[in-house]
Amino acid sequence: MTQQNSVSRDTQLQQRVAELQKRVDSLEDILDNGKEVLTLEEAAKVMGMARSTLYKMTCEQSIPFYRPNGKMIFFEKADILAWIRRNRVSTQEEIG
């Protein structure tokens, strides 16, 4: 590998690490802020899914959400956690 390729690879790696750090910081802000109400984007980050997937779930009314004035979509953090916990899968030990 040439030195130029190595430098380019290092630069790309540094950029990726910086992007990941921004995402981690954003998630920490959402979780640590004590925010009770989350936007669609914030809720998608917390849940680790694409915004489009979460939006589709709201269209199907398969997850609780709020839409004041028929505009933006919001989620209560407690509702999201309760919804996640309803979909728990038992371990083999618990079943047997």
Side-chain angles (χ1 to χ4, degrees):
M1 180 181 305
T2 68
Q3 186 173 1
Q4 185 178 12
N5 285 344
S6 179
V7 170
S8 174
R9 197 166 169 193
D10 287 347
T11 302
Q12 289 174 347
L13 183 57
Q14 289 172 350
Q15 289 173 343
R16 185 68 178 137
V17 167
E19 290 171 12
L20 289 172
Q21 186 61 52
K22 284 181 185 178
R23 290 181 69 190
V24 167
D25 291 344
S26 175
L27 285 171
E28 286 176 344
D29 285 345
I30 292 168
L31 294 173
D32 292 340
N33 249 348
K35 261 182 111 171
E36 296 296 321
V37 178
L38 306 175
T39 65
L40 181 85
E41 186 170 320
E42 291 169 337
K45 283 182 183 179
V46 167
M47 297 174 76
M49 63 176 55
R51 288 175 41 208
S52 59
T53 302
L54 186 54
Y55 183 74
K56 182 179 177 184
M57 292 169 70
T58 64
C59 290
E60 295 169 348
Q61 296 183 336
S62 62
I63 190 166
F65 66 98
Y66 300 87
R67 185 178 277 162
N69 301 323
K71 299 277 181 179
M72 289 183 63
I73 297 172
F74 296 95
F75 300 85
E76 193 167 335
K77 193 183 329 183
D79 288 345
I80 291 172
L81 295 175
W83 180 84
I84 289 170
R85 289 183 178 121
R86 278 193 295 248
N87 294 294
R88 183 176 183 274
V89 177
S90 298
T91 66
Q92 287 295 322
E93 187 176 298
E94 291 170 333
I95 294 171

